[in-house]
Amino acid sequence: MLTTWQAPGGSVEQAIRCGSATGPCLLVLPAWFDEANKTRHFTVETMRMLAQRGIGSVLPDLPGCNESMAALEAQTLSSWREAASAAAAHFGCSHVLAIRAGANLAPALPGFAYAPLAGKSALRALLRARTIAAKEAGRPETTESLLETGKAEGLELAGYRLGAAMVADLSQAALPDSPLAKLEPGGPGLWLRAEPEHNAEQAAALANLIAESVAR
Amino acid sequence: MTTDLPATVPQPDDTDTILRAILRDVLGLSDERVAELDESSGLFGYLPEFDSMAVAGLLTEVEDRCDILIEDDEVDGEMLETYGALLTFVSAKRAED
């Protein structure tokens, strides 16, 4: 079901909540940007399957993402981290499930990471997509100059307008040392697909791994 | 099932296998379609779903799985145009490291 919560910046954000309000509850931190779109179906399906296995979960919109009315350009890595922590507190989450670059935002809770991706690697892929497109269009750009401009003025990457602080934050963002257990449900990652697809078996495998671990 | 991959370019290593697996994952090709790729199979500019975002994802995955670093100025339409060109590039890159 859809519900709302308030991010530290004051914006009211949407969240999808699945499963019972009592018992374990996962804070789901989704993949970012284009990867978020490619894995949205998979992410929500995993939550439904977790609910069938007695585990609640909540998927909050980060400020500036999805249905959020907040400006993406105003966000920074720390504003997102604070938002993730605030959502965990608001919904009383006991665990985290971080998908891809979502792992950069995980609050101090036990839990799981699926194919964690460092913020700087996420930025690198976006910059690369832009330089390839620019080269094909006959107006080549370099990663270095884009990064320099981005840190000063912000940058539009794959349709996402990132602020200067976010570009600077991401360019430095290595994966934090985290106690999150890495999950391997098998099969190719859906974020790789040029044409978005779903994989119900993979979602079930991920839900099973989490349910087994939470029950222990 | 036998995986009798056609020997396109002489490969001293597993680059061919890795590249085919990545293309299968990125483009959602069946094992049969992947096995049919040969040196002249067209990629960038031939497959509508193979856009700049998909190419960026593919190159990042190649870097990860082959443990190489691909620089901006090495990426061009020619190196991505056919399967053979991509295979030659990645093989040479792996031999360097």
Side-chain angles (χ1 to χ4, degrees):
Chain A
M1 70 169 205
L2 275 179
T3 179
T4 58
W5 60 289
Q6 192 173 32
S11 56
V12 174
E13 305 294 351
Q14 308 254 358
I16 295 177
R17 187 168 195 165
C18 281
S20 136
T22 59
C25 177
L26 288 180
L27 172 74
V28 181
L29 296 171
W32 292 357
F33 310 127
D34 66 305
E35 291 195 350
N37 298 331
K38 291 175 178 175
T39 55
R40 180 97 177 158
H41 188 170
F42 171 82
T43 302
V44 174
E45 192 64 26
T46 301
M47 293 171 67
R48 289 202 187 100
M49 290 176 167
L50 282 167
Q52 292 166 6
R53 290 157 177 76
I55 296 172
S57 59
V58 58
L59 171 65
D61 281 351
L62 290 169
C65 298
N66 216 40
E67 302 293 332
S68 175
M69 298 300 284
L72 176 59
E73 200 171 358
Q75 306 307 318
T76 63
L77 200 51
S78 44
S79 78
W80 273 3
R81 282 188 179 135
E82 285 159 18
S85 294
H90 179 87
F91 294 107
C93 296
S94 56
H95 294 74
V96 179
L97 167 60
I99 300 173
R100 299 289 287 160
N104 294 279
L105 310 178
L109 286 173
F112 313 92
Y114 175 34
L117 179 74
K120 62 180 179 186
S121 305
L123 181 66
R124 184 168 151 79
L126 290 173
L127 285 168
R128 175 170 268 165
R130 177 154 164 169
T131 58
I132 292 167
K135 193 175 254 185
E136 281 306 296
R139 39 172 180 80
E141 299 171 321
T142 67
T143 303
E144 290 73 29
S145 66
L146 280 175
L147 206 48
E148 205 170 303
T149 313
K151 284 179 183 173
E153 303 163 14
L155 203 56
E156 184 168 319
L157 294 170
Y160 296 94
R161 178 79 206 170
L162 303 182
M166 181 66 106
V167 173
D169 287 350
L170 291 184
S171 69
Q172 301 289 325
L175 273 182
D177 268 336
S178 93
L180 301 182
K182 284 191 193 171
L183 300 178
E184 288 176 15
L190 291 167
W191 57 87
L192 284 174
R193 288 296 311 274
E195 291 283 315
E197 216 186 16
H198 179 51
N199 185 336
E201 294 78 39
Q202 204 175 45
L206 194 66
N208 285 337
L209 289 170
I210 293 168
E212 282 163 20
S213 175
V214 169
R216 250 184 264 133
Chain B
M1 196 188 81
T2 57
T3 49
D4 194 15
L5 300 179
T8 48
V9 176
Q11 283 304 303
D13 53 36
D14 56 355
T15 308
D16 182 62
T17 313
I18 296 175
L19 269 190
R20 284 176 195 270
I22 295 174
L23 283 167
R24 183 193 60 208
D25 293 354
V26 170
L27 297 172
L29 302 177
S30 65
D31 289 342
E32 290 74 25
R33 282 281 312 281
V34 163
E36 281 164 16
L37 288 174
D38 64 23
E39 224 173 310
S40 61
S41 300
L43 298 177
F44 195 45
Y46 292 85
L47 305 168
E49 68 270 38
F50 202 42
D51 59 9
S52 59
M53 208 69 222
V55 170
L58 173 121
L59 294 178
T60 308
E61 201 62 18
V62 168
E63 288 183 327
D64 269 6
R65 294 198 210 176
C66 295
D67 198 24
I68 55 174
L69 207 65
I70 302 168
E71 303 294 340
D72 268 0
D73 55 9
E74 295 175 315
V75 180
D76 57 31
E78 220 167 285
M79 156 261 210
L80 291 161
E81 197 181 350
T82 62
Y83 180 70
L86 182 62
L87 181 59
T88 304
F89 171 79
V90 177
S91 297
K93 202 69 201 169
R94 290 185 86 188
E96 268 174 35
D97 292 339

